[in-house]
Structure formats: structure tokens, C-alpha cells
Amino acid sequence: MADCIFCRIAAGDIPCREVHADTDFVAFRDLNPQAPVHFLVIPRRHVAALTDLTGADADLVGRLQVTAAQVAAKLGLAETGYRFVINCGRDACQTVPHLHLHVLGGRALGWPPG
Ligand code: 5GP
Ligand code: ZN
């Protein structure tokens, strides 16, 4: 989608600090990090939010998480741990309407989240 910022990042039209790329997913550092390590993993295919997923997307979402875990390990988080977050909709403060998984680590994270 031409007017989607994350589609444009996936296409290489907007620069990012990439930490992983393959045929289906791109991972890059968050512009406004909330932890010492904070990156986003997105599918190249435009999916606006969790609410748009169907059963046909189960494989995509599974591989999204496996990819995120592998990148987390590559960035040294496997031993100390990390958190996955997917915000969906207004109450969860989703600001970019292209599905993205946050991976946060490198410090002790509070619980419950805000
Ligand atoms: P959300 O609030 O939708 O779950 O998260 C969107 C995230 O995308 C935010 O953490 C924000 O800092 C990040 N973000 C927004 N625009 C850009 C951008 O152009 N580049 C990068 N690297 N991150 C972005
Ligand atoms: Zn998009």
C-alpha cells in the first residue's frame, strides 16, 4: 500500500536500521525505542491489524514469531529474556496500521504493562 509507512519501509523506500530481512518479513529498530533493544518485525504483505487475520494467516503469524525469536537471539537477548507486544486498535495505542510485532529487551521490563 503506497500510503502505508511500513509497506514503504519493507519496499526500501524509507530507510530503517534493518536487523533482518527475508522473503516474507523485515525486522528493524524502532525509531523511538522503549528499551535498550527494541525492534519491530513486520510481514511484507500488508495486514492492518490482528483483527484482520483469518485462519489462512496462521502460518504467517507463526513464522512472524519464530523470526522475531531468532532475531532476538541474534541480538543477544536469549539468555536475559525479552517481551513480544502486538498493539491492536485504539485502546492498545496502535499507531501504525500495518501489523507489527514489537520485541523489547535489554532491561528488566515492568508488569503489568500500562
Ligand atoms: P504501535 O504504537 O503502532 O504499536 O507502534 C508503532 C511503532 O512504530 C512505534 O513504536 C514507533 O516508534 C514506530 N515507528 C513509527 N514510524 C516509524 C518509522 O518510520 N521508522 C521506525 N523505525 N519506526 C517507526
Ligand atoms: Zn502496510
Side-chain angles (χ1 to χ4, degrees):
M1 286 198 10
D3 60 347
C4 171
I5 191 163
F6 284 180
C7 281
R8 295 185 65 198
I9 285 177
D13 296 339
I14 294 177
C16 70
R17 292 175 62 204
E18 188 179 283
V19 290
H20 174 83
D22 62 41
T23 53
D24 293 324
F25 305 105
V26 182
F28 52 91
R29 307 263 184 189
D30 197 289
L31 203 57
N32 183 24
Q34 302 301 312
V37 179
H38 182 182
F39 64 91
L40 306 173
V41 189
I42 65 169
R44 290 187 184 274
R45 176 161 71 83
H46 182 86
V47 177
L50 289 173
T51 43
D52 293 315
L53 294 174
T54 71
D57 299 312
D59 178 65
L60 181 85
V61 175
R63 289 187 296 110
L64 175 77
Q65 293 179 81
V66 172
T67 300
Q70 290 173 339
V71 177
K74 185 172 88 173
L75 297 182
L77 297 179
E79 192 175 327
T80 49
Y82 50 86
R83 183 173 293 164
F84 283 1
V85 174
I86 299 180
N87 295 317
C88 180
R90 187 185 56 215
D91 278 358
C93 305
Q94 182 179 4
T95 57
V96 178
H98 178 127
L99 184 66
H100 50 283
L101 173 66
H102 296 256
V103 182
L104 300 137
R107 66 169 171 83
L109 300 163
W111 192 265

